[in-house]
Amino acid sequence: MNRSATVLLTALAPVSWGTTYAVTTEFLPPDRPLFTGLARALPAGLLLLAVTRVLPRGAWWWKAAVLGALNIGAFFPLLFLSAYRLPGGMAAAVGSAGPLCVAGLSAVLLGQRPTARTLLTGVVAAAGVSLVVLKAAGALDPLGVLAALAATASMSAGTVLTQRWGRPDGVGPLALTAWQLTAGGLLIAPLALLAEGTPPALDARAAGGYLYLALANTALAYCLWFHGIGRLTATHVTFLGPLSPLTAAAVGWAALGQALTPLQLTGMALAFGATVAGQSLGRPARSTPAGTAPTLSTPAPETRPPVRRRGARLDAGRPHPCDAD
């Protein structure tokens, strides 16, 4: 798969996440953010585990748990907490700092020093998203701001560590996604039970909304996201993140009748331009063999080794859509 196709497929993940707000407000029961996070993560993770029939081995038990906590288990509750406590789109505005956070973490964990162009593009992306989502509001809630910052840091750390650790030999992004969604869902489950009690009664409309969130918005989207991390640099991938609030604004205008002001349209143009520019920053990362962290001195081979270790997918003869390179 060439790089342009990889970028386009990876971009489908934040585009899908941008529909979450509309689905949540129009189809799901109100005031159940933790249950919604649980319904997104755990069923999708268990389904992918059943499809791939691969379990972690050795150090990947704790690595999968760490990645699942950062990308799913901690990120979902913190994101919902910030969205409920902050006015307007402040949570999305704070989250738009993700490219800058990833650039900093990449310098520490991957040895990839950010250039001035990278930092400037990140600032433009954050400014554009802010123009799209921010609205006039009163004083900010300190806990909400801290939750938004923690959510951004959690997802950024998960993105960088996913690239640093790679994947075990013979394990594709579908299995890696299954591990993280399951681990994250198991982390959210007790929080949802303690904070929100038993699950709400669901009608057909709500069941359809949760089905969409679990399958398309989570299982498929995160599979594409982790596949992109394995083929691109963490910085390139995270610059696709602004597509999420831009999609949310577009869906709100097209489907929910929400107006877009000239200032918001300007912000959308800035954020989209920064997203496109972010894909040309630096030299594209070459894919590494599964289970190998990328290095700066030696280019990694383009193909994975044909030998699969014991514990690889049991149905290795049948390809999965997200395993295609």
Side-chain angles (χ1 to χ4, degrees), residues 31-322:
D31 302 325
R32 289 300 186 109
L34 290 177
F35 176 77
T36 298
L38 175 63
R40 286 182 65 187
L42 191 56
L46 294 176
L47 175 63
L48 293 182
L49 278 180
V51 171
T52 59
R53 295 187 291 171
V54 182
L55 291 177
R57 293 178 62 86
W60 270 98
W61 280 104
W62 68 264
K63 288 183 178 180
V66 170
L67 293 178
L70 291 173
N71 288 319
I72 307 295
F75 176 69
F76 279 5
L78 288 169
L79 180 66
F80 283 126
L81 176 61
S82 64
Y84 270 76
R85 299 186 70 96
L86 292 179
M90 178 59 72
V94 175
S96 67
L100 297 175
C101 189
V102 166
L105 289 173
S106 294
V108 175
L109 298 178
L110 303 179
Q112 299 173 353
R113 296 180 59 183
T115 64
R117 184 183 173 190
T118 298
L119 298 177
L120 178 61
T121 305
V123 171
V124 172
V129 171
S130 298
L131 291 177
V132 174
V133 300
L134 289 184
K135 300 176 182 178
L140 298 181
D141 179 79
L143 180 59
V145 173
L146 289 176
L149 291 172
T152 302
S154 179
M155 187 66 169
S156 299
T159 298
V160 174
L161 285 178
T162 299
Q163 185 177 61
R164 177 180 176 85
W165 288 338
R167 300 193 304 267
D169 291 344
V171 174
L174 203 64
L176 184 64
T177 304
W179 299 347
Q180 296 189 51
L181 289 176
T182 303
L186 291 175
L187 182 62
I188 297 173
L191 298 177
L193 183 62
L194 289 174
E196 298 178 356
T198 57
L202 303 180
D203 56 17
R205 187 179 181 86
Y210 281 122
L211 188 64
Y212 165 78
L213 290 181
L215 296 181
N217 187 270
T218 302
L220 179 59
Y222 272 95
C223 178
L224 294 173
W225 185 255
F226 294 137
H227 176 266
I229 293 174
R231 303 290 294 178
L232 308 168
T233 69
T235 300
H236 288 145
V237 171
T238 196
F239 266 108
L240 297 173
L243 292 175
S244 181
L246 296 185
T247 301
V251 170
W253 169 76
L256 304 180
Q258 298 173 354
L260 290 175
T261 66
L263 191 61
Q264 286 178 303
L265 293 174
T266 301
M268 293 179 74
L270 286 174
F272 185 76
T275 297
V276 174
Q279 302 313 304
S280 63
L281 294 172
R283 183 179 178 180
R286 306 179 69 184
S287 61
T288 62
T292 306
T295 62
L296 298 181
S297 57
T298 305
E302 290 286 342
T303 57
R304 298 178 189 164
V307 179
R308 298 181 183 272
R309 291 181 181 175
R310 188 179 306 169
R313 187 167 56 245
L314 300 181
D315 54 348
R318 292 183 297 152
H320 294 291
C322 292

